[in-house]
Every structure is written in C-alpha cells, then in structure tokens.
C-alpha cells in the first residue's frame, strides 16, 4: 500500500506575502526608472529591461515548478514499483530446485 503523497501546504499568509513583495519590488523599480533624470529613450530602454527581467522570472519559476512536479511523479512511479515487488515477494515460499 502506497502512503499518500506529502502535501506541502501553502498558507494564505505566505501567498499574500509573496504577492505583496513582488508588487512592492516592481512598483519601486518602476517609480525609480520613471523618476530618473534621463531622456525618454533611456527611460524606455530601462523599462523594457524591467519587463524582460519580470517575464524571465515568471518563466524561471514555472520551469522550476514543472521540474519539481516531474520529479515527484517519477518518485511516485518508482515507489509504486517497489511496493508491487514487496507485495509479490513471499519470504517463506519454498522453491523447488
């Protein structure tokens, strides 16, 4: 019998903290870029760089999450195979030669 997979609960407080932290950081950098004493083209270049960094961060987070899910699935399949072998094995079985 396979034990149920361990679920790591994500609390509401953790989720809110992560969202607020991201929002504050993004707002701070956006305000900093907007208030810099630069021309329009330089400000636009920095803004585009900020958009690139944010989208790259989301992509990286998704890749890490997907990789972890694949690893958990592989672990479950290996555990199921091991459980099947253990259930089929009878240590007291007498094999005739």
């Amino acid at each position: 019998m396979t034990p149920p997979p361990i679920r790591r609960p994500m609390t509401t407080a953790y989720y809110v903290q992560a969202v607020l932290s991201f929002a504050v950081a993004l707002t701070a950098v956006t305000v900093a870029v907007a208030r810099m004493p630069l021309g329009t083209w330089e400000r636009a270049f920095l803004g585009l760089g900020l958009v690139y960094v944010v989208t790259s961060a989301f992509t990286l987070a998704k890749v890490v999450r997907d990789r972890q899910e694949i690893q958990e699935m592989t672990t479950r399949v290996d555990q199921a195979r091991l459980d099947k072998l253990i259930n089929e094995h009878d240590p007291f079985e007498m094999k005739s030669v």
Side-chain angles (χ1 to χ4, degrees), residues 61-72:
K62 183 184 179 317
V63 167
V64 168
R65 184 199 63 202
D66 291 349
R67 185 177 225 181
Q68 181 182 4
E69 287 177 355
I70 289 171
Q71 185 65 29
E72 287 178 6

Side-chain angles (χ1 to χ4, degrees), residues 3 38 60 66 90:
L38 297 173
L60 177 63
D66 291 349
D90 184 9

